[in-house]
Amino acid sequence: MAIPNGFSTMPFNPEKQPVMLSRGIELLVAGKATSDGAGVKLTRVLTQDLQRRLDPFLMLDAFGSDNPNDYIAGFPDHPHRGFETVTYMIAGRMRHEDSAGHVGLLENGGVQWMTAGKGVIHSEIPQQEEGVMEGFQLWLNLPGRDKMSAPWYKDFSNADLPKFVTESGVAVTVIAGASHGVAGAVTRDATQPLYLDLHFPASARFEQRLPPEHNAFVYVYRGQVSIEGTPISAQRMAILRNDPDCDGVVIEVDSDAKVLLIAGMPLKEAIAQYGPFVMNTQQEILQAIKDFRDGHLGEIAGR
Ligand code: FE2
């Protein structure tokens, strides 16, 4: 094939190619104020009614408060089965313990990635009596074939997370997937999650290529951004349209902003959820409840 004038013969690297046509916004979502655990106040950004639309993601909670009454009791011992939890701590300190013997302290921009698989019981308890506690918990589904896999867990300190700065000054933390040729802390074949934390300086833009069939959304947690000319203010999620003509997303800002960009390949499987259990069928849910009641999800050492 002839190479047109002005084009180089550099090897094709899709991660480094610019986005030719950005996805637009399908829906802006404010989230719902709720509480979970032992009364932790939070905003459920990705709610159960959006699970099919945002497959493979099941939930996104944002928590942030400088009032200890909103968070101090934390999330005492509770079970999970059938999916993965990704906790990203912006401010504050949270201690994690689980029935698989894992203990960790999550703080200052660290990430805890936990694959519940066939089941764990864990607790997430704040390690502070005052100050700001802020972060996010994302639930990522597992394909049916992996729902009963062995639990897995890893803590990443902020220093462990891959990072880069774009030419326009956007500081990018790659929690999962890959961006601009930088591989993230975690990759998953079945769902191919992309999880980026983007810190924009004023008048910056960020381009990310996305496969058109992957479901994608952004959550703005500081400032305001715009996509295809539509503004998205703080504490809003924008679901990005799946358009076969679009090869990614372009996010622009006028002034400083912080944004999560999350995308993944849909599993297209049935979703059956009962609280902390997410399986494919109601029968599997009943089995999960029975296994939990019978003590088969184990217990946290020393309880
Ligand atoms: Fe949990």
Side-chain angles (χ1 to χ4, degrees), residues 104-119:
L105 183 65
L106 189 56
E107 59 183 339
N108 300 335
V111 165
Q112 180 213 75
W113 196 294
M114 185 182 79
T115 307
K118 65 185 175 187

Side-chain angles (χ1 to χ4, degrees), residues 78 80 122 124 137:
H78 60 279
H80 291 292
H122 76 159
E124 299 149 301
Q137 189 170 82

Side-chain angles (χ1 to χ4, degrees), residues 1-301:
M1 193 176 82
I3 296 167
N5 285 340
F7 284 72
S8 75
T9 55
M10 290 281 286
F12 177 72
N13 179 350
E15 295 296 340
K16 297 218 166 177
Q17 301 304 304
V19 171
M20 306 307 286
L21 192 59
S22 176
R23 295 190 190 197
I25 294 170
E26 177 178 303
L27 186 67
L28 289 171
V29 176
K32 291 184 172 65
T34 184
S35 68
D36 209 339
V40 177
K41 286 191 181 155
L42 51 84
T43 301
R44 187 142 296 160
V45 179
L46 195 173
T47 48
Q48 211 168 345
D49 54 314
L50 293 170
Q51 286 176 341
R52 288 236 63 90
R53 174 62 189 86
L54 292 175
D55 179 10
F57 302 104
L58 299 163
M59 194 187 84
L60 176 68
D61 281 348
F63 50 94
S65 176
D66 58 4
N67 178 357
N69 293 329
D70 291 346
Y71 61 72
I72 201 72
F75 303 87
D77 300 10
H78 60 279
H80 291 292
R81 172 181 278 181
F83 61 99
E84 309 191 77
T85 67
V86 185
T87 310
Y88 182 28
M89 202 75 180
I90 302 292
R93 293 152 57 84
M94 193 105 86
R95 178 182 162 87
H96 167 267
E97 289 181 89
D98 73 28
S99 55
H102 304 120
V103 177
L105 183 65
L106 189 56
E107 59 183 339
N108 300 335
V111 165
Q112 180 213 75
W113 196 294
M114 185 182 79
T115 307
K118 65 185 175 187
V120 293
I121 293 174
H122 76 159
S123 65
E124 299 149 301
I125 303 294
Q127 300 295 297
Q128 62 189 48
E129 289 171 358
E130 57 183 16
V132 177
M133 172 79 73
E134 182 178 13
F136 308 95
Q137 189 170 82
L138 178 72
W139 287 12
L140 170 62
N141 210 354
L142 285 168
R145 65 175 184 273
D146 293 338
K147 283 183 179 292
M148 294 300 281
S149 62
W152 183 85
Y153 162 98
K154 193 164 181 182
D155 276 324
F156 300 90
S157 72
N158 186 262
D160 294 335
L161 296 171
K163 298 183 188 71
F164 66 94
V165 179
T166 66
E167 280 175 18
S168 81
V170 181
V172 182
T173 303
V174 191
I175 296 169
S179 179
H180 296 247
V182 177
V186 172
T187 54
R188 288 284 179 264
D189 288 342
T191 48
Q192 297 179 28
L194 174 75
Y195 189 164
L196 306 180
D197 183 16
L198 307 170
H199 293 193
F200 289 83
S203 304
R205 76 202 299 270
F206 180 77
E207 304 189 9
Q208 175 66 41
R209 287 174 70 91
L210 297 168
E213 69 277 15
H214 285 202
N215 292 327
F217 61 96
V218 301
Y219 179 72
V220 180
Y221 66 98
R222 292 285 191 286
Q224 176 175 298
V225 308
S226 70
I227 294 176
E228 287 289 283
T230 301
I232 313 162
S233 51
Q235 277 85 53
R236 291 291 181 279
M237 170 171 74
I239 297 175
L240 305 181
R241 191 172 289 121
N242 294 72
D243 185 333
D245 294 333
C246 296
D247 57 349
V249 63
V250 179
I251 306 172
E252 296 173 295
V253 306
D254 291 330
S255 36
D256 298 11
K258 296 183 180 179
V259 175
L260 305 179
L261 170 59
I262 296 171
M265 184 170 69
L267 290 167
K268 298 180 180 167
E269 295 181 4
I271 300 169
Q273 178 175 6
Y274 177 76
F277 307 125
V278 184
M279 305 299 288
N280 295 118
T281 68
Q282 203 55 34
Q283 192 176 353
E284 290 168 337
I285 289 293
L286 294 173
Q287 187 65 49
I289 295 167
K290 183 174 187 307
D291 288 350
F292 171 54
R293 286 191 181 144
D294 292 348
H296 296 323
L297 271 56
E299 58 184 41
I300 301 175

